[in-house]
Amino acid sequence: QVQLVESGGGLVQAGESLRLSCAVSGNIFRINAMGWYRQAPGKQRELVATITSDGITNYADSVKGRFTISRDNTKNTVFLQMNILKPEDTAVYYCNRLQPFFFSWGQGTQVTVSS
């Protein structure tokens, strides 16, 4: 089994920053391509950023220029630097592999951005 533990969320004001971490542990040899997802109440889960094993990144238009995904393969961790946060970014954020290779979902970390 593989465990995914997200952390770093919190309550911030618009324009501020947060850095999320995703710790991957369990019966794995190495992290491959990974993504950050978010889900707001009443909405479908959305893929916001991806990173390959070699560090190639991609972003949803809604976060491009504000968010940066990175990884530390030695520590089996994936990060999401979130700058210039907006109220529309409010959601529970999750990490996982890319479709269709999902692990079991973790509990996520809540990000709340106030006006």
Side-chain angles (χ1 to χ4, degrees):
Q1 293 90 347
V2 174
Q3 294 82 46
L4 304 170
V5 180
E6 300 92 346
S7 62
L11 173 62
V12 298
Q13 293 184 320
E16 295 183 336
S17 299
L18 286 171
R19 187 172 190 251
L20 308 184
S21 298
C22 171
V24 185
S25 63
N27 189 25
I28 60 168
F29 173 74
R30 183 174 179 174
I31 302 176
N32 294 301
M34 293 287 291
W36 280 97
Y37 305 77
R38 67 186 182 187
Q39 187 166 25
K43 293 188 175 181
Q44 189 176 6
R45 196 194 324 272
E46 173 190 19
L47 178 64
V48 299
T50 62
I51 185 167
T52 70
S53 60
D54 291 331
I56 300 173
T57 60
N58 217 332
Y59 301 91
D61 289 341
S62 58
V63 307
K64 193 172 298 182
R66 299 187 297 118
F67 290 10
T68 302
I69 187 172
S70 61
R71 64 191 299 160
D72 185 336
N73 290 332
T74 301
K75 298 181 179 180
N76 287 342
T77 54
V78 185
F79 306 96
L80 186 67
Q81 179 66 46
M82 310 164 65
N83 297 327
I84 319 176
L85 282 162
K86 304 176 179 180
E88 308 94 88
D89 297 318
T90 295
V92 178
Y93 284 71
Y94 304 88
C95 62
N96 214 321
R97 295 178 68 181
L98 305 187
Q99 186 176 328
F101 305 108
F102 292 135
F103 294 125
S104 296
W105 296 92
Q107 66 181 15
T109 185
Q110 176 72 51
V111 172
T112 303
V113 185
S114 66
S115 301

